[in-house]
């Protein structure tokens, strides 16, 4: 949708896959020049991530692992794509150091990482207790 509308576009680029937008959603100074197709970067990244998550689903160690993996991977993808974004509508924080999306991505990544680490620690404790119980009953 964003690609067809011309919003959420990237910075100017000389790469051969640059796209020219003429939409009114594109700032006048950016119209008609070759821009990073960040909308497509996002789409291709999400397709790859979906494939990885489907693969992981059959190999997961605990309920919620696939979701936590998404919440740890998407913020990294989004933060990288934000580097190539050229639209000014998304907003910036800390004097323009990072975009609002990068800040939110950081919070989501850290939160998911903490939850995943706690979940893995709990699984290790359960496995150790089960192993110890096996040793006692044997």
């Amino acid at each position: 949708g964003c690609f067809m509308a011309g919003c959420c576009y990237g910075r100017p680029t000389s790469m051969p896959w640059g796209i020219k937008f003429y939409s009114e959603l594109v700032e006048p100074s950016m119209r008609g020049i070759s821009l990073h197709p960040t909308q497509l970067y996002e789409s291709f990244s999400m397709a790859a991530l979906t494939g990885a998550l489907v693969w992981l689903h059959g190999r997961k160690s605990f309920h919620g692992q696939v979701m936590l993996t998404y919440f740890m991977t998407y913020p990294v993808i989004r933060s990288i794509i934000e580097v190539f974004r050229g639209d000014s509508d998304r907003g910036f924080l800390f004097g323009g150091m990072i975009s609002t999306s990068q800040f939110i991505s950081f919070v989501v990544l850290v939160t998911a990482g903490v939850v995943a680490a706690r979940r893995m620690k709990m699984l290790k404790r359960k496995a150790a207790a089960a192993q110890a119980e096996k040793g006692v009953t044997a």
Side-chain angles (χ1 to χ4, degrees), residues 37-56:
T38 54
Q39 314 91 327
L40 298 182
Y41 297 168
E42 178 104 9
S43 294
F44 295 144
S45 299
M46 291 302 96
L49 180 55
T50 298
L53 294 175
V54 167
W55 177 86
L56 176 63

Side-chain angles (χ1 to χ4, degrees), residues 54-73:
V54 167
W55 177 86
L56 176 63
H57 185 266
R59 294 157 183 79
K60 64 184 178 178
S61 301
F62 59 89
H63 291 298
Q65 183 179 10
V66 175
M67 181 182 71
L68 286 169
T69 301
Y70 172 81
F71 284 135
M72 290 186 294
T73 308

Side-chain angles (χ1 to χ4, degrees), residues 4 15-16 26 44-45 62-63 71-72 74 80 102 113 116 122:
M4 297 305 284
M15 302 306 286
V26 177
F44 295 144
S45 299
F62 59 89
H63 291 298
F71 284 135
M72 290 186 294
Y74 177 75
I80 292 169
Q102 287 171 319
M122 186 174 71

Side-chain angles (χ1 to χ4, degrees), residues 76-92:
V76 174
I77 292 169
R78 180 61 188 255
S79 292
I80 292 169
I81 291 171
E82 282 291 306
V83 172
F84 297 99
R85 293 276 300 267
D87 57 318
S88 60
D89 291 344
R90 65 193 191 285
F92 291 90

